[in-house]
Amino acid sequence: MTASTEARETALWAAQAAADKLATDVSIVDVSDRLAITDAFVLASAPNERQVQSIVDEVEDRLREHGIKAVRREGVAESRWVLLDFVDVVVHVQHAEERAYYSLERLWKDCPTIPFTDSALPPAARVASTPVTPSAQDADAVPGGFSGEGEAAPQALDPATSDAPQADTTR
């Protein structure tokens, strides 16, 4: 079973509200197969407590505009990890240090994610970037560059001519 359409929509509104207040690492995890109490988690980070509170306020205001009110708020006093419970969606806004330490994405890694792209990004940034293959002319500009065929130039493979530090293999 996947998250309901209403839960997905609510999660996307919450994620966009967080992104609009400059939250970092915004993601949505569909936990509906694993938890009976909610359908999705919205995860967002901020570099300081003031920013965490600003994101929380914006998420609550934005969802209230859609007629959705949080039934529970936790962690607001400290503003290090604030949890907003909207029943079908739980929003976690964490200080960057808590986000790294608790790593909720790792705990819920077996759950699918719901794609989210910040609508404030320019259209070019929304498209997944494709790797750029260097051309033959780039080989002259970059030391140890590339040959025209996408292979490393011979001097880049020869440790005697490379400027890179060599690994110590003595024991």
Side-chain angles (χ1 to χ4, degrees), residues 133-140 142 144-156:
T133 305
S135 66
Q137 106 185 44
D138 293 335
D140 297 331
V142 178
F146 300 91
S147 68
E149 305 305 314
E151 299 173 2
Q155 70 271 18

Side-chain angles (χ1 to χ4, degrees), residues 12-77:
L12 289 168
W13 286 331
Q16 187 59 55
D20 289 348
K21 282 297 182 174
L22 305 179
T24 56
D25 299 325
V26 179
S27 63
I28 305 171
V29 181
D30 181 343
V31 294
S32 59
D33 283 342
R34 304 279 185 228
L35 290 177
I37 58 173
T38 193
D39 283 353
F41 285 163
V42 176
L43 309 172
S45 303
N48 57 57
E49 290 85 356
R50 188 174 189 163
Q51 188 70 27
V52 167
Q53 191 57 51
S54 177
I55 293 165
V56 166
D57 291 344
E58 184 65 20
V59 169
E60 285 187 305
D61 290 346
R62 189 82 54 91
L63 292 183
R64 196 174 299 118
E65 290 172 5
H66 294 283
I68 303 166
K69 187 175 178 186
V71 296
R72 182 173 298 114
R73 302 169 78 213
E74 295 183 22
V76 177

Side-chain angles (χ1 to χ4, degrees), residues 85-115:
D85 185 353
F86 295 98
V87 182
D88 290 340
V89 175
V90 176
V91 178
H92 298 267
V93 183
Q94 297 174 297
H95 189 284
E97 292 171 359
E98 271 72 9
R99 179 84 179 261
Y101 181 79
Y102 290 103
S103 187
L104 293 178
E105 294 90 346
R106 183 179 51 81
L107 293 174
W108 297 99
K109 68 183 175 188
D110 57 339
C111 295
T113 58
I114 297 172

Side-chain angles (χ1 to χ4, degrees), residues 114-138:
I114 297 172
F116 166 71
T117 304
D118 184 355
S119 66
L121 291 176
R126 290 184 209 166
V127 177
S129 62
T130 56
V132 177
T133 305
S135 66
Q137 106 185 44
D138 293 335

